[in-house]
Amino acid sequence: MPETRVEVPEMVMLEILSKLPVKSLTRFRCVCKPWCSSFQTPHFITKHHRNNLHNNNLNLLLKRCQGNTRDDIYYFSQLSIEKGQNFSAQHNIHLPFFEDCWYAPVVSGPCNGLLCLHDADKVALWNPSTREFKTLPQSTVQRPPSVDSTSFGCVGIGFDSQNGDYKVVRFVTNYFEENEDEGLMGDWNHQVELYSLKSDSWKEISVPGVQPYGSPLFNNYVNGFYYWQAIGDSDYLILSFDMVNEKFSALPLPEFGGSLAEYYLELLDFNGLLGAIIYPREGTDKSFDLWVMNGSWTKQFSIESLPRVERPLGFWKNGELFLESSDHELVLFDPSTRELKSLGIHAYQETMQIITYVESLVPINGRSEREELIIRRPAGDASN
C-alpha cells in the first residue's frame, strides 16, 4: 500500500513552531532555509513572544556576589524552573565586559526579553535566550566646555512600539571644579541622552525638572514607560519616560501612611501595571504592602509579619514572593499557605537580584556570548 504523505500548511507549521522554546528553534534553524528566514521576521518574533507571555513561560536569573565583600565579582546564575528542582542553579554566567568595573552591573529591564546592563560609562544589551550580547557605542553627545569630570547615573530601557525601536535613556552629571583665581564656584549640571538600537547612536534630549536616584531592585519598565524614584524641589515622586514621544512626566508616590525615612519603596511591573512594594527599614520581622497604579494608587494586598527576612526580590508565577532572608539565603514565600521555603542559595549580604524574564528572539545586532568570551559553567549544586 503506497505511503500517504501529509503536507502541513506553512502557516500551521509556523504557528506550532512559535510555541517552542528558543533553544529548540535555534536547533531548527539548520533544518531548512525558509524556517531560518521565518524565525527572523518581526511577525514570528512577536508571535513567539506573545505565546510565551500568554502561557506565563517565565525564566529566572539570579545576580549575586558570593565573596566576602561587595567588591568581589558579581555573576549571574540561571535557575531551574522545573518542578521538584527547588530553583537550583543550573549554570553560572560570568561577563568579562564588567569585571573591571567599580561596581556590579546594574540590570534594567527586562523589556521583551532584553536586559540592559550598565556600570559607570559602560552599557550593554543582552538577550539571555538567544545568548546575544551587544556593547553600546560610546556617546557622542557633547559635554559642556570646561567640564572637569562626568558621571553616569540612572539608566532605563524600553520599546518604542510606533517605530519598532529599542531605546536606552541615561542620566549624566557634569562637574566643574572650584577655581578661586577665576572666581568660579564648584558646580554641576545635568544632561540626558537617549540611545536608539535602530540607529546605533546616542542623542541628547531635554532634562526633566527632577532627578532620579537609586538602582532598581525590580523591573521598572511597564508597557512603553520606564519609571524611577526621583527627588523634586521639596518632595519625593516618581519620574516616568515615554519611549514613543521621548517625554518625561511625574507621578505621585502612594499615600501609604509613612515616610521614606521609615520605609523602603521599590517600583515594579505587576501584571502589566506600575506597582510599588513598601516595607519597613528596621526589624527582622517584615510586612509588605503592594500598591498598584491604575488611574490612581490602590493597595492590592498586604503580607503580614514574615520572620527573619530582609527584603523582597520578585514575584513568581502564582503570586509567590522571592525574598532574601536575614541569613542572606534565597527563600520563597507562598501567600496561600504562608509557607516560607529555603532554597539553599546564598550570596553576600544584599547583593542578590532576581530577574524574571520571558524568552524572546528579539535581535540586538550584537555578537554571540562565545565571541564576547562570556562563560557559562554548570553550577554543580544549588549553593554554587
Side-chain angles (χ1 to χ4, degrees):
M1 187 173 179
E3 290 186 6
T4 302
R5 184 175 179 180
V6 178
E7 289 283 349
V8 179
E10 183 181 2
M11 291 302 295
V12 175
M13 180 62 72
L14 290 176
E15 180 68 28
I16 295 169
L17 291 170
S18 70
K19 293 178 169 63
L20 296 179
V22 169
K23 188 175 181 180
S24 298
L25 295 176
T26 301
R27 291 200 304 265
F28 292 163
R29 287 181 191 273
C30 304
V31 172
C32 64
K33 288 184 178 180
W35 279 17
C36 183
S37 300
S38 296
F39 296 166
Q40 299 173 41
T41 63
H43 176 78
F44 186 87
I45 291 169
T46 301
K47 180 70 174 176
H48 178 264
H49 187 65
R50 285 177 178 168
N51 284 337
N52 281 319
L53 285 173
H54 177 74
N55 295 317
N56 208 19
N57 292 334
L58 300 180
N59 293 269
L60 284 173
L61 282 173
L62 173 68
K63 188 187 83 171
R64 56 174 165 164
C65 171
Q66 212 168 357
N68 296 318
T69 73
R70 192 181 296 272
D71 296 328
D72 285 347
I73 293 172
Y74 284 67
Y75 61 97
F76 294 86
S77 294
Q78 186 84 53
L79 303 187
S80 172
I81 55 173
E82 299 297 326
K83 285 185 178 180
Q85 293 200 12
N86 209 35
F87 300 101
S88 59
Q90 292 180 305
H91 293 91
N92 292 328
I93 308 166
H94 296 264
L95 305 175
F97 179 67
F98 288 100
E99 284 187 358
D100 60 348
C101 290
W102 286 100
Y103 303 101
V106 177
V107 181
S108 297
C111 169
N112 296 346
L114 302 184
L115 301 177
C116 179
L117 311 178
H118 48 99
D119 183 289
D121 64 336
K122 290 187 172 184
V123 187
L125 296 178
W126 183 31
N127 186 331
S129 303
T130 61
R131 302 189 179 186
E132 189 181 7
F133 190 91
K134 179 179 176 64
T135 303
L136 301 196
Q138 291 292 312
S139 173
T140 55
V141 171
Q142 292 295 309
R143 305 299 170 211
S146 305
V147 65
D148 180 67
S149 62
T150 297
S151 69
F152 299 88
C154 292
V155 170
I157 181 176
F159 180 60
D160 174 353
S161 57
Q162 283 192 10
N163 297 295
D165 194 10
Y166 289 87
K167 297 176 179 178
V168 175
V169 58
R170 178 168 67 175
F171 290 80
V172 180
T173 303
N174 301 300
Y175 297 94
F176 305 86
E177 277 194 349
E178 180 177 349
N179 189 324
E180 293 183 359
D181 294 337
E182 297 182 15
L184 298 175
M185 301 291 290
D187 200 1
W188 65 88
N189 67 16
H190 301 289
Q191 292 177 289
V192 182
E193 48 193 25
L194 187 68
Y195 170 82
S196 159
L197 182 60
K198 265 192 171 181
S199 67
D200 194 29
S201 63
W202 296 87
K203 68 177 182 180
E204 188 171 6
I205 60 173
S206 298
V207 177
V210 299
Q211 280 301 304
Y213 67 90
S215 299
L217 185 57
F218 297 87
N219 181 17
N220 287 8
Y221 172 73
V222 187
N223 289 333
F225 291 82
Y226 198 92
Y227 297 91
W228 301 266
Q229 293 186 66
I231 302 175
D233 292 334
S234 60
D235 57 354
Y236 293 91
L237 42 80
I238 296 169
L239 179 67
S240 73
F241 182 74
D242 186 330
M243 293 291 165
V244 173
N245 65 29
E246 301 179 356
K247 301 293 184 184
F248 290 99
S249 57
L251 299 169
L253 295 175
E255 295 181 2
F256 60 92
S259 73
L260 294 184
E262 305 169 290
Y263 291 87
Y264 289 110
L265 185 150
E266 299 286 351
L267 301 176
L268 72 156
D269 174 4
F270 186 76
N271 296 332
L273 296 172
L274 175 64
I277 191 164
I278 299 167
Y279 59 102
R281 291 178 177 269
E282 302 297 330
T284 55
D285 286 12
K286 297 284 176 71
S287 297
F288 302 91
D289 293 336
L290 179 77
W291 292 71
V292 171
M293 167 61 80
N294 193 3
S296 61
W297 286 108
T298 56
K299 187 190 288 190
Q300 193 80 0
F301 59 78
S302 296
I303 299 173
E304 300 295 338
S305 191
L306 293 184
R308 305 190 75 247
V309 296
E310 287 292 324
R311 59 191 187 129
L313 295 174
F315 287 96
W316 189 231
K317 292 184 177 182
N318 298 311
E320 304 97 328
L321 181 63
F322 288 105
L323 299 138
E324 181 177 347
S325 75
S326 300
D327 298 328
H328 314 300
E329 180 183 4
L330 184 64
V331 298
L332 185 68
F333 174 71
D334 187 338
S336 64
T337 62
R338 288 198 60 83
E339 178 190 8
L340 198 60
K341 182 179 182 180
S342 297
L343 300 180
I345 297 176
H346 294 80
Y348 185 72
Q349 60 186 11
E350 296 188 356
T351 64
M352 282 195 281
Q353 181 181 359
I354 285 281
I355 298 116
T356 306
Y357 68 97
V358 173
E359 279 198 337
S360 165
L361 292 165
V362 172
I364 52 176
N365 305 319
R367 304 202 304 170
S368 69
E369 288 185 358
R370 183 175 297 179
E371 290 174 302
E372 289 287 343
L373 304 180
I374 293 171
I375 301 168
R376 287 182 181 249
R377 288 197 180 102
D381 60 63
S383 62
N384 285 341

